[in-house]
Structures are given as structure tokens and as C-alpha cells.
Amino acid sequence: MTDILPALLPESLLAQPAEPSETRYHQLADQLADAINRGTLLPGSRLPSVRRCAEMHQVSINTVVAAYRRLEDRGLIEARPQSGFYVSNALPVLESRVDEHSHAAEPANEVLALIDTVFAAQINPEYTNISLACPQSDDFYPGGKLGRIMSSLLRRQPQLIGKYALPPGNLHLRQQIARRSMTLGMMLEPTDITLTHGCMEALQLALRVTTQPGDSVGLETPTYFYLLPLLASLGLKAIEIPTDPQHGLSLDALELMLNEKRLNAVIAMPTAQNPMGFTMPLAAKKRLARLMNDHQVPLIEDGLYAEIQFGATLSPAVKSFDKNGWVLFCTSFTKTLAPDFRIGWIAGGRFSEKLRHLKAVSSMAESSLLSETLAVFLESGGFDHHLRSLRRRYAAQVDEAKSLIMRYFPQGTRATQPQGGFVFWVDFPPGVDTVKLFELLLKEKISMTPGTLYSPSGRYRNALRLSCCYPFNARYTDALARVGRRACEMSGLPPGIVTQAAE
């Protein structure tokens, strides 16, 4: 890659009269920062080498080193070993601002009503979605391979369409799930697993076997917004547990609530959380499992994105540290393999037997044909190959989305740093009301999800969840640019990342 700076910066910045070195490195850093903020230097582009920059600006190498160090401190550039300096792709990091005195309450009616409104826009094909967490292109799924397996099964075993796969479900698939569970640190037997109609049914069944109407359930904040109508439908109250955007649940706050007997169950997404994208550190996962077992309070672990982690080594599930069966692990294949199959599963720990009975009276059986198709695909190793490709693609698209945000969204915008999945959380500067922004964008046929949906009490009115599971075509990138323009108008701020001076 060639250096792009000489071609993009005006001549007035390429040669300056001699000045004291301390003043000069400040000026050089500010000039480069201005070029980054204006989009002249794009995220991910390489800066000239230290020696080349010194020649261009007629300054000493030490001056350039000091300027580059200043830009690193401000988060505007990053050094890459054996490669040089690059304009950073990292947005300013979001910090937790949630108080630790949440009270149990039913989800607010206005939040539930807004969820219905947003969902209606999300399913309208005329709208461009930037927030819906459902991959919108065939190439995100191995549809052709699954179709060939299904056709072969029907030719060889036509009796499959005449069978009921009664709870706990197709044995072959449960065997493959148990084998795969070891990649997340779990040691499960097929008898530990019950197949469900997607992850939402798994979560619903988990809540029904662990709680009663009127009970209080602890939630991350922000949390997956469809948990709120689910809790409301079961007559359950929500307690928001302070959640760090990078490290997850505040375990100190959780322990205090457990000591005070305020929680009857907890739902959490410790790995590649939706909507923030964090993965809890290993030590925190171990402590979380220990707390739930010590207090004998069920943890319902949502593992929907747990296999879409960006790191070379997968972080294990909290369930892998469960000693006495107080962790229920729920997930499905809808985000990774086959949404229309609607096949999920739950490892219920000490609640496994009750779950099988409840599944029987709830929705009875899952499809034998679809379950066997997935089992054959998993057994062939096709899923592992598909996941490797999917992880690379989502990691690249998250980075690309951040670059667009850095270019089009108002100064002061912050974001989480996802470690997996395809969603992350964007926090606008004061003045941007994302409920009003949502209403404005509907007129332009753009659908987004305001942050207030992700809190039972309606917090986060200046935030939104961004989803990167779409083809990054002109329609999607133009929609992000228009969101940025409207947000800039509401805030009165120009586009570009925040540039706080180094102390």
C-alpha cells in the first residue's frame, strides 16, 4: 500500500517555517487530526513512515515521532508491528453510566408499544434496515448444501416426513450438539439437551420452569429487546443490573442483589452480547457461575452468538463452569445456519426433566427431516468451515461499519467494541433523541431501533443498536450516511470522531 498523505493534504501543510520543536509537533499532530476528522485521511489508511513524514514536513524525526505519539494517545492512529502507522478504525469507547439502584418493575407500556412499531417497520421490505439482527442475504447461509442434504435424505429415508420427533427431539442431532458443545467448554450428554422451536422458545421454556408470575428477573442493561414483551407475557418483573459495555454484568451489583434475595432468576448473554457485543472475561464468567450456584438462583444463559466470536480461541460458556445445574444454556441455529428451520436447543441442568415435559405440552415436536438435515451437516464438518468464513465476514463488516460511523456520525459519538456477533451499540452526543430520529428516518424508508427499546425502564434515548449482517452495498452505506446527517442536524455538531487533546 502506498502512502496517501502527499496527494491528499494541501501544500500549506507539507512545508512549514522552522519553529520550536515542541510547538511544531503539536501543530503537525493537529493538522493530521484535522485531516482525519474531515475524512481526507480515511479510517484504515496508512500514514507515511516517520522518515518520509519528516522529509515532507521538513522537520526532525523526533518531531514526527512525538506527533504520532500524540495522535496515538488521542486514539486517532494506531501502530501495527512490521507495518507502520494507520488511521484508527476504533471509535471512542463507550463507558457505563447506569446507576446501581434499579427496582423491580414490569416493562413500561411505552417501551412495549414502541417495540411493536419498530417491528412493523423492520419487516417491511420497502425499508432499508440498519438494526435488524437477521442476516438479509442468501450468502450468509449454506442454503445450497443444506438443500442437497435434505433431498438426499428424502430419497433414502422418505419415512422421515411421517415421523414425530417427540421431546427431547431427534437423537442424531442431539448427539452432534453434545459433541460440538465441547468447543464452548461444555461437557453435555444427548440426554441433557432438548430441541426447541428456535432460541426464543428455549428462553421462554427456561423462564417458565424457573419462575412464577410476579417473580423478579435480573437483566443486563441494555438487553435484547424481545425479552421485555416475553417477561410481560409471563407476568414477570425486570430488574436492570448495571452492565459494563466491555466487560458485562457488574458482578458486585449482582452479588448484592442475590444477598438481598431480590432475584428469582437472571437472563444474561455473557458471550458476544446483544446489543453491545462484549464477551465477559474468563474470570468473570467463573465468578458468575459460582455466584448462581452458591445462591441457588437460575442463570438463563443466552448463547445465540457464542460461536460467532472473532478471537482465535473461543471463550467458554458460563455453563461450562456450572457445578450443580443452576445454569440453563439456550441457543439455536437461526443466526448461523438456517433461520427457516427454527431449530434451537436448551441444556437445562437440574431443570432438564421439567423442560422436556413443558416442551411436550407447549409445542410438542420439531421436524424430523430438518433436524436430521442439520445433524448430517454438523457431522460432516460443514458447519465448522461455514463458521470460519462467517466470523471473518462479520468481523470485517463491523470494522467497515465503524469506518462509516467515524466519517458520517456527529463528533462525540461513541461505540462499543464487539468481540463477536454482528451487532454493536452506538451512543450519540447530547441533542440526539433516537426515538425522534427513528420517526424522521421512517419518512426516508430507513428502519433503526432506538436505544430505549433495550431497557424495561426506557433508558438510552440517545443510543441505537447497529447491525452488520447485511450486504455492504450502496443502499446500506447510503442509509448509514443519512442517519449520520440527521444526527448531525439534531446535535448541531459536524461529522467526525471526537478528538480530545492528550493530557
Side-chain angles (χ1 to χ4, degrees):
M1 185 185 299
T2 58
D3 296 333
I4 65 169
L5 197 59
L8 293 176
L9 291 184
E11 291 183 6
S12 60
L13 299 186
L14 296 180
Q16 298 286 342
E19 295 183 24
S21 60
E22 183 176 350
T23 302
R24 188 69 191 96
Y25 93 76
H26 278 281
Q27 288 185 347
L28 178 58
D30 289 343
Q31 290 161 3
L32 293 172
D34 183 62
I36 292 170
N37 290 327
R38 287 187 286 103
T40 306
L41 295 175
L42 296 175
S45 60
R46 183 161 67 90
L47 295 175
S49 69
V50 170
R51 185 176 299 279
R52 174 66 175 141
C53 188
E55 293 172 353
M56 289 159 43
H57 293 276
Q58 299 179 16
V59 296
S60 71
I61 287 176
N62 287 341
T63 296
V64 177
V65 169
Y68 279 9
R69 185 179 296 119
R70 183 175 175 81
L71 292 172
E72 279 192 282
D73 290 340
R74 292 160 69 173
L76 295 180
I77 70 172
E78 58 188 21
R80 299 181 187 175
Q82 312 300 320
S83 184
F85 291 90
Y86 290 78
V87 179
S88 176
N89 275 321
L91 284 160
V93 176
L94 181 64
E95 298 176 354
S96 178
R97 295 192 300 271
V98 180
D99 66 73
E100 300 195 6
H101 302 287
S102 299
H103 300 286
E106 295 180 359
N109 289 332
E110 56 267 28
V111 173
L112 298 178
L114 185 57
I115 288 174
D116 290 339
T117 303
V118 170
F119 183 68
Q122 286 180 335
I123 62 176
N124 189 328
E126 296 183 2
Y127 287 73
T128 301
N129 267 297
I130 64 168
S131 295
L132 182 64
C134 297
Q136 297 292 293
S137 177
D138 292 343
D139 60 353
F140 286 103
Y141 303 110
K145 294 178 181 178
L146 292 173
R148 289 190 291 273
I149 292 171
M150 187 184 300
S151 297
S152 175
L153 284 171
L154 277 174
R155 288 194 302 271
R156 293 183 289 108
Q157 303 178 53
Q159 71 276 12
L160 281 173
I161 61 173
K163 286 184 176 181
Y164 284 99
L166 298 174
N170 179 280
L171 176 59
H172 189 192
L173 179 54
R174 288 186 291 116
Q175 288 171 334
Q176 293 306 311
I177 290 172
R179 178 183 63 83
R180 285 200 59 80
S181 70
M182 291 188 289
T183 64
L184 293 174
M186 296 180 286
M187 300 297 292
L188 302 177
E189 298 292 334
T191 53
D192 298 324
I193 296 163
T194 297
L195 301 185
T196 63
H197 197 63
C199 191
M200 278 302 293
E201 188 188 36
L203 294 170
Q204 181 190 88
L205 294 175
L207 283 168
R208 289 173 64 186
V209 297
T210 58
T211 63
Q212 299 178 4
D215 281 353
S216 295
V217 178
L219 299 174
E220 296 159 323
T221 183
T223 190
Y224 171 50
F225 67 82
Y226 264 113
L227 291 178
L228 307 185
L230 176 57
L231 292 180
S233 71
L234 297 174
L236 299 171
K237 298 176 181 179
I239 297 183
E240 295 178 84
I241 303 172
T243 307
D244 182 86
Q246 299 304 316
H247 304 296
L249 281 173
S250 167
L251 298 183
D252 291 338
L254 174 61
E255 185 170 17
L256 178 62
M257 293 178 184
L258 292 171
N259 287 333
E260 294 175 349
K261 309 295 184 185
R262 294 173 59 192
L263 300 174
N264 301 102
V266 174
I267 298 182
M269 208 169 190
T271 306
Q273 193 253 13
N274 176 9
M276 292 193 284
F278 65 76
T279 291
M280 292 181 73
L282 186 62
K285 287 185 174 183
K286 291 179 179 179
R287 183 183 171 194
L288 177 56
R290 185 168 63 251
L291 282 173
M292 307 314 291
N293 277 267
D294 289 348
H295 290 270
Q296 298 186 359
V297 172
L299 170 67
I300 301 169
E301 180 178 9
D302 185 345
L304 190 57
Y305 300 93
E307 291 198 276
I308 315 177
Q309 299 181 47
F310 299 155
T313 302
L314 296 187
S315 175
V318 174
K319 176 67 178 173
S320 65
F321 306 112
D322 182 26
K323 301 297 184 184
N324 300 311
W326 289 99
V327 180
L328 300 82
F329 186 87
C330 305
T331 189
S332 82
F333 296 100
T334 58
K335 302 297 184 183
T336 53
L337 277 183
D340 193 55
F341 282 24
R342 300 305 305 161
I343 293 178
W345 58 274
I346 181 169
R350 61 176 49 243
F351 302 94
S352 291
E353 190 63 31
K354 290 182 180 179
L355 281 166
R356 283 192 288 272
H357 291 306
L358 188 57
K359 167 65 179 175
V361 301
S362 174
S363 58
M364 189 56 73
E366 297 305 317
S367 164
S368 292
L369 175 60
L370 300 183
S371 297
E372 188 65 22
T373 299
L374 286 183
V376 172
F377 187 70
L378 266 60
E379 190 172 32
S380 71
F383 191 30
D384 293 299
H385 176 77
H386 171 66
L387 277 177
R388 286 192 291 271
S389 173
L390 205 59
R391 290 166 185 151
R392 287 193 298 269
R393 179 169 185 178
Y394 284 141
Q397 294 199 173
V398 166
D399 280 345
E400 189 172 349
K402 287 182 181 180
S403 296
L404 292 168
I405 289 173
M406 294 170 72
R407 183 172 184 178
Y408 294 115
F409 282 33
Q411 289 186 6
T413 299
R414 296 180 178 272
T416 55
Q417 307 297 319
Q419 296 165 281
F422 47 72
V423 299
F424 63 99
W425 190 251
V426 178
D427 196 56
F428 285 111
V432 180
D433 183 325
T434 53
V435 175
K436 294 179 180 178
L437 184 61
F438 164 74
E439 294 167 351
L440 280 174
L441 291 168
L442 284 184
K443 298 175 184 177
E444 301 183 42
K445 295 191 180 302
I446 296 173
S447 175
M448 50 158 278
T449 49
T452 190
L453 266 67
Y454 299 86
S455 163
S457 59
R459 305 173 191 261
Y460 311 116
R461 205 172 173 98
N462 70 321
L464 63 82
R465 181 186 74 179
L466 191 67
S467 180
C468 304
C469 59
Y470 309 98
F472 270 54
N473 52 26
R475 179 180 178 182
Y476 179 83
T477 55
D478 179 65
L480 274 185
R482 283 192 280 167
V483 172
R485 284 197 293 270
R486 296 290 172 263
C488 288
E489 291 168 2
M490 294 179 76
S491 66
L493 294 169
I497 64 173
V498 69
T499 57
Q500 296 175 342
E503 295 182 359

Coordinates of all heavy atoms in Angstrom, one line a residue, residues 30 85 110 170 178 193 196 206 222 232 235 238 276 285 329 355 371 377-378 406 423 459 463:
D30 N -2.0 18.3 15.2 CA -3.3 18.9 14.9 C -3.7 19.0 13.5 O -4.9 18.8 13.1 CB -3.4 20.4 15.5 CG -3.3 20.4 17.0 OD1 -3.6 19.4 17.6 OD2 -3.0 21.5 17.6
F85 N 2.1 3.1 10.7 CA 1.1 3.7 11.4 C -0.1 3.9 10.5 O 0.0 4.2 9.3 CB 1.5 5.2 11.8 CG 2.5 5.1 12.9 CD1 3.9 5.1 12.6 CD2 2.2 5.1 14.3 CE1 4.9 5.1 13.6 CE2 3.1 5.1 15.3 CZ 4.4 5.1 15.0
E110 N -44.9 2.2 27.2 CA -44.5 2.9 26.0 C -43.3 2.2 25.4 O -43.2 2.2 24.1 CB -44.1 4.3 26.4 CG -43.0 4.4 27.5 CD -43.6 4.6 28.9 OE1 -44.7 4.1 29.1 OE2 -42.9 5.2 29.7
N170 N -34.8 -35.2 18.0 CA -34.0 -36.0 17.2 C -32.7 -36.4 17.9 O -31.9 -35.5 18.2 CB -33.7 -35.3 15.8 CG -32.9 -36.2 14.9 OD1 -31.6 -36.2 15.1 ND2 -33.5 -36.8 13.9
A178 N -24.2 -32.2 21.4 CA -23.4 -32.6 22.6 C -21.9 -32.6 22.2 O -21.0 -32.1 23.0 CB -23.8 -33.9 23.1
I193 N -30.0 -32.4 26.6 CA -30.4 -31.4 25.6 C -31.9 -31.7 25.2 O -32.3 -32.8 24.9 CB -29.5 -31.5 24.4 CG1 -28.1 -31.2 24.8 CG2 -30.0 -30.7 23.2 CD1 -27.0 -31.6 23.8
T196 N -35.8 -27.2 20.6 CA -36.8 -26.2 20.8 C -37.1 -25.6 19.4 O -36.3 -25.7 18.5 CB -36.5 -25.1 21.8 OG1 -35.3 -24.4 21.3 CG2 -36.2 -25.7 23.2
A206 N -37.3 -21.8 29.6 CA -36.4 -21.7 30.7 C -37.0 -20.8 31.8 O -36.9 -21.1 33.0 CB -35.0 -21.1 30.2
P222 N -28.0 -2.3 28.5 CA -29.2 -2.7 27.7 C -29.2 -4.2 27.4 O -28.2 -4.8 27.5 CB -29.0 -1.9 26.4 CG -27.5 -1.7 26.3 CD -27.0 -1.5 27.7
A232 N -43.2 -9.6 30.1 CA -44.5 -9.1 30.4 C -45.6 -10.2 30.1 O -46.6 -10.3 30.9 CB -44.8 -7.9 29.5
G235 N -45.9 -12.4 33.1 CA -46.2 -11.7 34.4 C -45.0 -11.5 35.3 O -45.1 -11.5 36.5
A238 N -38.9 -7.0 35.9 CA -37.5 -6.9 35.4 C -36.7 -6.0 36.4 O -37.2 -5.0 36.9 CB -37.4 -6.3 34.0
M276 N -24.6 -5.1 22.7 CA -23.3 -4.4 22.9 C -22.1 -5.1 22.3 O -21.1 -4.5 21.9 CB -23.1 -4.0 24.3 CG -24.0 -3.0 24.8 SD -23.6 -2.2 26.4 CE -24.0 -3.5 27.6
K285 N -16.7 -14.9 34.1 CA -17.6 -16.0 33.8 C -17.6 -17.0 34.9 O -18.6 -17.6 35.4 CB -17.3 -16.6 32.5 CG -17.6 -15.8 31.3 CD -17.4 -16.6 30.0 CE -17.9 -15.8 28.8 NZ -17.7 -16.5 27.5
F329 N -28.5 -23.3 29.4 CA -27.9 -22.7 28.2 C -28.8 -22.8 27.1 O -29.3 -23.9 26.8 CB -26.6 -23.5 27.9 CG -25.8 -22.9 26.8 CD1 -24.9 -21.8 27.0 CD2 -26.0 -23.3 25.5 CE1 -24.2 -21.3 25.9 CE2 -25.3 -22.7 24.4 CZ -24.4 -21.7 24.6
L355 N -38.2 -29.4 31.8 CA -38.2 -28.8 30.4 C -38.8 -29.7 29.4 O -39.5 -29.3 28.5 CB -36.8 -28.4 30.0 CG -36.3 -27.1 30.7 CD1 -34.8 -27.0 30.5 CD2 -37.0 -25.9 30.1
S371 N -34.3 -31.6 11.4 CA -33.3 -31.9 12.5 C -32.3 -32.9 11.9 O -31.1 -32.7 12.2 CB -34.0 -32.6 13.7 OG -34.9 -31.7 14.3
F377 N -25.2 -32.3 8.4 CA -24.3 -31.2 8.1 C -23.3 -31.0 9.2 O -22.1 -30.8 8.9 CB -25.1 -29.9 7.9 CG -24.3 -28.7 7.4 CD1 -23.9 -28.7 6.1 CD2 -24.1 -27.6 8.3 CE1 -23.1 -27.6 5.7 CE2 -23.3 -26.6 7.8 CZ -22.9 -26.5 6.5
L378 N -23.7 -31.0 10.5 CA -22.8 -30.9 11.6 C -21.7 -32.0 11.6 O -20.6 -31.8 11.8 CB -23.5 -30.8 12.9 CG -23.9 -29.5 13.5 CD1 -24.8 -28.7 12.5 CD2 -24.6 -29.6 14.8
M406 N -17.4 6.8 11.8 CA -16.4 7.8 12.0 C -16.5 8.9 10.9 O -16.1 10.0 11.2 CB -15.0 7.1 12.0 CG -14.8 6.1 13.2 SD -13.3 5.2 13.0 CE -12.1 6.4 13.3
V423 N -23.7 -7.2 15.9 CA -24.3 -6.0 16.4 C -23.4 -5.3 17.3 O -22.6 -5.9 18.0 CB -25.7 -6.3 17.0 CG1 -26.6 -7.0 16.0 CG2 -25.5 -7.2 18.3
R459 N -34.5 3.6 29.2 CA -33.3 4.4 29.2 C -32.7 4.5 27.8 O -33.4 4.0 26.8 CB -32.2 3.7 30.1 CG -32.6 3.4 31.5 CD -31.5 2.6 32.2 NE -31.9 2.1 33.5 CZ -31.5 2.6 34.6 NH1 -30.8 3.7 34.6 NH2 -31.9 2.1 35.8
A463 N -29.2 6.5 22.1 CA -28.4 5.4 21.6 C -29.2 4.6 20.6 O -30.4 4.7 20.5 CB -28.0 4.5 22.7

